[in-house]
Amino acid sequence: SPATDTYRMIDYCNSCQPLIASWWSDGETFVIRDTEKLASDIIPRFFKHNKFSSFVRQLNFYGFRKIKHDPYYVNVSEQESKHWRFRHEFFIRGRPDLIREIRRPSQNTVEREEIE
């Protein structure tokens, strides 16, 4: 599944390429520091494409959310402001067993949410 491949990719980067991407210190989010290198060097190892935008689209589709920078946190460097940080409640460092809970929303789920 894309969630499993993403987990493997972040774990790989965390241990081998942390300047490109890694787990955040909380273990509940991950950060992408270099989108170009991720697309050219890392994504093709785990997925059948090399487009960062396609990778982000998949994350969104599976319920991952981008964490916005706190506008009141003044110490964010220009480099850090280009970082992409994501979270999903079932995507946690050291807990690959939770990945099975990450699913594409079914059409029925979407319809039910709109009705309530």
Side-chain angles (χ1 to χ4, degrees):
S1 82
T4 301
D5 294 337
T6 300
Y7 192 93
R8 288 177 38 240
M9 183 179 79
I10 297 303
D11 256 5
Y12 165 79
C13 286
N14 196 67
S15 55
C16 302
Q17 300 285 344
L19 297 178
I20 296 175
S22 68
W23 289 103
W24 196 252
S25 57
D26 64 7
E28 295 179 0
T29 57
F30 65 93
V31 62
I32 297 166
R33 296 181 179 85
D34 189 331
T35 58
E36 290 179 15
K37 278 206 186 313
L38 188 84
S40 63
D41 302 352
I42 308 297
I43 289 175
R45 292 181 183 207
F46 296 88
F47 299 94
K48 295 176 182 171
H49 64 83
N50 64 350
K51 292 186 174 18
F52 183 69
S53 59
S54 297
F55 174 68
V56 170
R57 193 175 313 112
Q58 278 290 86
L59 289 178
N60 290 331
F61 199 65
Y62 279 85
F64 285 78
R65 292 295 167 246
K66 185 174 188 258
I67 297 175
K68 293 180 173 41
H69 295 286
D70 185 345
Y72 300 106
Y73 184 65
V74 192
N75 296 327
V76 174
S77 69
E78 185 179 339
Q79 189 62 37
E80 284 175 322
S81 71
K82 295 176 181 165
H83 294 176
W84 291 62
R85 193 167 147 211
F86 293 93
R87 78 170 302 278
H88 188 289
E89 64 179 322
F90 297 118
F91 197 86
I92 299 173
R93 180 179 51 211
R95 293 295 311 273
D97 56 300
L98 296 177
I99 294 173
R100 67 176 172 266
E101 302 297 328
I102 300 174
R103 297 184 188 97
R104 290 167 56 158
S106 69
Q107 191 61 36
N108 292 342
T109 308
V110 173
E111 288 173 3
R112 214 174 316 134
E113 287 174 0
E114 290 173 355
I115 291 169
E116 291 176 10

